[in-house]
Amino acid sequence: MPTERFELFSRIWRYRWLRLIVHLDAFRLAPIEYLGASWWRLIGKRVRARAHFAPLLGQSSLSYGLWQTTEESLDEDVVTSGFPSLVALVEQGSCSRSLERTLFSLASENVQAHVLPSGGLPEVAEAEARDESGQPWFMEMQAGDILAPGAGNFYRALAANTSAEIIYSDDDLIVDTGQRRKPHFKPEWNKELFRHLDYLTGASFFKCKWDVLVSSKDGDVAGSVVRRLALADGAKDPLHVPKILHHRVSRPALRMPAAPTLVGHSFPSVSVIVPTRNRSDLLRKCLEGLDRTDYPNMEVIVVDNGSDDSETLAFLAGLNRRRYRVECMPGPFNFSRLNNRAARLARGTLLCLLNNDIEVIAPDWLKILSLRAVRSKVGAVGARLLYPNGLIQHAGVVTGIGGGAAHAHRLLPPDAEGYFHRHSLPQVVSAVTAACLVVQRDRFWAVNGFDEDHFAVAFNDVDLCMKLNRMGWLSYYEPSATLIHHESVSRGLDKDPKGSARLASELATLKERWLTDVSVDPYHHSQLSPFSERFVVRL
């Protein structure tokens, strides 16, 4: 009992000390932002304070150490008799001490180990393969990798009760001193992301016959089998364990996407819908970008929502009607209604919803998005949007942030590492912004388009994407198509009472319909902060 009390006291003291250091780190790195977050906390704006504090605290090098003080341990007493056997294929490496550490960890977890020399499976493993009955579960490890205490039994219990052929978990990196760093809190299975970011190999067990491993000609025996199983057509989705069960010395290298191949494809007709009201300066730049866009069959519908500025009216009147269709739709601003009405008039196979403050950078953006949108399992496709200062404005949408939804990786420099380069990789996401969105017209109407009654201004794109997702048409983020969005970097805080009431109503409907305040975005993680658009550890 005294020992348990001492351990509890030690843990509490360590938590409080690390918490203080993390806050001091955040203040040192961004003093103005930290004081601003403190002000919101002081006047009782807790949600706003958390939204400001989360990215500041997450950038501290000790934030993960603070998180570890509250990490839940696994139950090591799970009865696993009769459950499938686990086999680790361990790369020998050059350090005998690292190899010993890995073998000791595996022995502690009752995981059978085979040490692999360079060139693949050893002869002894091939001999044992002929005597092996059934289908054991395998994993690849490097010398120095270790399993979390209780991970072996945890995996066995899951393996005995799943139809999946791959079970993977979260991981972090470990140094010789035992210090853990750089955690990877992973999404649920995301096949498109995996093509570039291998988050399975070395942090998963997979079910496979010995013969398949023995016959593999690839030097990376286990890794090649994992990729083949995960990417096979019709394969069952790998099962994700949202716990850190692997402590690793390194991870597979990132495979940055190559430039999309646009030759040799046929492109369906596209109707580009641009709602606008006044601000001819923005509209002119947007339409000039469409003029530079390289696309074979494109109609542009400009939806004028009651412009009364003489300069804008003159600009609209002077547009070439062979190139642009101008549809006058006066009345109170309702983004959903404007786009729905224009979509009914559209003749294109695809719809491209485009804000009037979007600036085109490269002429191939629409071809890139269209190639994604015509795929059988894809619904809405979104581009990467940058602020005029070059920082990211949109790299997909994460639900649950602040109880609603928010743009992922906002204000991150595009060339920064960010969270495992997620902002630079094509992937499935929960939603994309309608500031630049491409979707098949038939699929848009299959879910009745935008909800005009409940989402007049905010969250209409999130609701649309979630409806498409529910039909099996996934939302897709494509960073190869990058545009500039002239939206203000600083968010206005003072809103008129009517606008505030409308926003509150739309947020409440989003929470009620899609449970964004209680559920975790499958492409985010429960241990990532729900108050930050950056992917930072939850504290």
Side-chain angles (χ1 to χ4, degrees):
M1 184 66 70
T3 302
E4 293 178 356
R5 287 178 179 173
F6 176 78
E7 290 178 353
L8 178 61
F9 173 80
S10 177
R11 189 170 183 176
I12 293 173
W13 181 88
R14 175 174 170 77
Y15 170 80
R16 291 178 175 175
W17 174 249
L18 281 173
R19 184 182 179 189
L20 174 62
I21 298 299
V22 166
H23 274 269
L24 290 174
D25 257 2
F27 177 74
R28 177 180 58 85
L29 294 169
I32 302 301
E33 292 82 353
Y34 186 91
L35 291 175
S38 301
W39 168 253
W40 292 121
R41 181 68 176 82
L42 184 64
I43 64 175
K45 302 290 185 179
R46 292 174 178 261
V47 173
R48 189 169 294 167
R50 288 172 177 171
H52 284 75
F53 267 127
L56 299 176
L57 302 178
Q59 66 184 333
S60 169
S61 60
L62 294 176
S63 60
Y64 184 45
L66 177 58
W67 178 88
Q68 290 175 50
T69 62
T70 61
E71 182 181 17
E72 296 182 358
S73 58
L74 297 174
D75 183 2
E76 300 183 47
D77 299 324
V78 178
V79 179
T80 56
S81 58
F83 283 5
S85 59
L86 304 180
V87 180
L89 306 174
V90 184
E91 297 180 11
Q92 188 168 12
S94 58
C95 178
S96 59
R97 181 179 298 178
S98 296
L99 179 60
E100 290 173 4
R101 184 169 66 228
T102 298
L103 296 179
F104 178 80
S105 169
L106 293 173
S108 301
E109 297 299 316
N110 295 316
V111 177
Q112 184 181 358
H114 285 295
V115 180
L116 302 182
S118 59
L121 286 168
E123 293 182 3
V124 61
E126 294 190 35
E128 293 180 14
R130 300 184 179 91
D131 300 326
E132 186 72 40
S133 60
Q135 275 191 324
W137 288 73
F138 297 92
M139 76 164 296
E140 178 186 57
M141 297 185 76
Q142 302 176 71
D145 292 359
I146 61 175
L147 291 174
N153 285 345
F154 197 88
Y155 270 119
R156 287 187 191 90
L158 288 173
N161 295 283
T162 183
S163 60
E165 296 182 317
I166 300 175
I167 306 173
Y168 69 98
S169 73
D170 304 331
D171 62 56
D172 58 19
L173 297 181
I174 190 169
V175 296
D176 290 339
T177 59
Q179 183 180 1
R180 295 161 52 190
R181 62 186 184 88
K182 204 168 184 181
H184 192 179
F185 295 110
K186 304 174 184 177
E188 297 302 306
W189 177 235
N190 194 323
K191 190 173 184 177
E192 295 300 318
L193 178 63
F194 176 73
R195 295 182 191 277
H196 306 282
L197 178 64
D198 182 353
Y199 56 88
L200 299 187
T201 302
S204 65
F205 277 93
F206 59 93
K207 184 166 58 176
C208 173
K209 291 184 178 180
W210 269 102
D211 294 347
V212 175
L213 285 176
V214 172
S215 63
S216 177
K217 304 301 182 184
D218 195 318
D220 178 19
V221 177
S224 63
V225 173
V226 167
R227 288 189 289 272
R228 191 160 65 245
L229 290 174
L231 296 176
D233 291 336
K236 295 187 174 99
D237 288 352
L239 175 65
H240 178 213
V241 180
K243 297 178 181 293
I244 292 184
L245 302 185
H246 299 263
H247 309 305
R248 314 173 66 180
V249 296
S250 67
R251 297 182 173 112
L254 183 73
R255 298 186 292 275
M256 292 300 291
T261 302
L262 301 178
V263 296
H265 294 283
S266 59
F267 296 94
S269 57
V270 174
S271 295
V272 181
I273 299 173
V274 185
T276 192
R277 185 179 190 276
N278 295 327
R279 293 305 303 267
S280 60
D281 55 329
L282 292 176
L283 181 62
R284 178 180 285 105
K285 184 169 288 190
C286 177
L287 298 187
E288 287 173 351
L290 289 175
D291 286 340
R292 297 193 306 271
T293 296
D294 177 20
Y295 202 86
N297 189 357
M298 173 178 65
E299 73 165 348
V300 180
I301 304 175
V302 178
V303 184
D304 179 28
N305 183 218
S307 292
D308 53 13
D309 172 68
S310 59
E311 184 176 343
T312 300
L313 293 174
F315 176 75
L316 292 173
L319 288 176
N320 184 346
R321 290 304 192 265
R322 294 182 179 179
R323 175 66 170 166
Y324 303 104
R325 295 170 58 188
V326 178
E327 300 291 342
C328 296
M329 299 182 187
F333 178 70
N334 184 316
F335 182 86
S336 296
R337 182 172 295 121
L338 294 174
N339 280 282
N340 281 350
R341 288 183 179 179
R344 292 187 181 96
L345 302 173
R347 296 188 288 259
T349 301
L350 301 179
L351 300 177
C352 174
L353 312 180
L354 197 69
N355 276 17
N356 68 341
D357 57 355
I358 292 292
E359 179 182 349
V360 171
I361 301 175
D364 59 359
W365 68 277
L366 190 52
K367 283 184 175 179
I368 294 172
L369 297 181
S370 296
L371 284 181
R372 299 300 190 190
V374 297
R375 295 166 63 176
S376 61
K377 294 184 178 180
V378 172
V381 181
R384 179 169 65 177
L385 303 181
L386 307 180
Y387 287 113
N389 64 5
L391 300 180
I392 289 175
Q393 187 264 329
H394 168 268
V397 170
V398 177
T399 59
I401 303 299
H407 299 302
H409 314 291
R410 197 176 74 90
L411 299 179
L412 186 73
D415 56 353
E417 178 184 355
Y419 192 73
F420 297 94
H421 295 277
R422 287 277 294 270
H423 60 288
S424 299
L425 304 176
Q427 61 198 274
V428 172
V429 292
S430 286
V432 293
T433 178
C436 179
L437 181 155
V438 175
V439 62
Q440 293 187 37
R441 185 181 59 178
D442 290 347
R443 293 181 179 178
F444 180 82
W445 288 122
V447 296
N448 297 317
F450 287 122
D451 186 335
E452 304 175 14
D453 298 324
H454 298 97
F455 298 105
V457 179
F459 303 120
N460 35 55
D461 43 13
V462 179
D463 180 66
L464 173 71
C465 289
M466 298 295 277
K467 291 188 295 184
L468 290 165
N469 297 348
R470 186 171 57 188
M471 295 286 287
W473 298 316
L474 302 177
S475 303
Y476 196 98
Y477 165 63
E478 179 49 80
S480 296
T482 298
L483 303 96
I484 294 175
H485 190 190
H486 288 268
E487 180 183 82
S488 176
V489 175
S490 60
R491 295 178 174 178
L493 299 175
D494 297 323
K495 299 181 177 68
D496 64 277
K498 185 177 179 180
S500 296
R502 172 197 49 76
L503 178 60
S505 174
E506 290 168 337
L507 177 58
T509 303
L510 186 74
K511 292 178 179 180
E512 179 183 359
R513 184 174 296 180
W514 301 112
L515 305 178
T516 56
D517 56 337
V518 294
S519 59
V520 177
D521 188 315
Y523 308 114
H524 201 240
H525 198 287
S526 61
Q527 296 307 316
L528 294 175
S529 174
F531 295 99
S532 175
E533 295 148 320
R534 305 286 185 91
F535 286 36
V536 296
V537 65
R538 181 174 189 162
L539 299 177

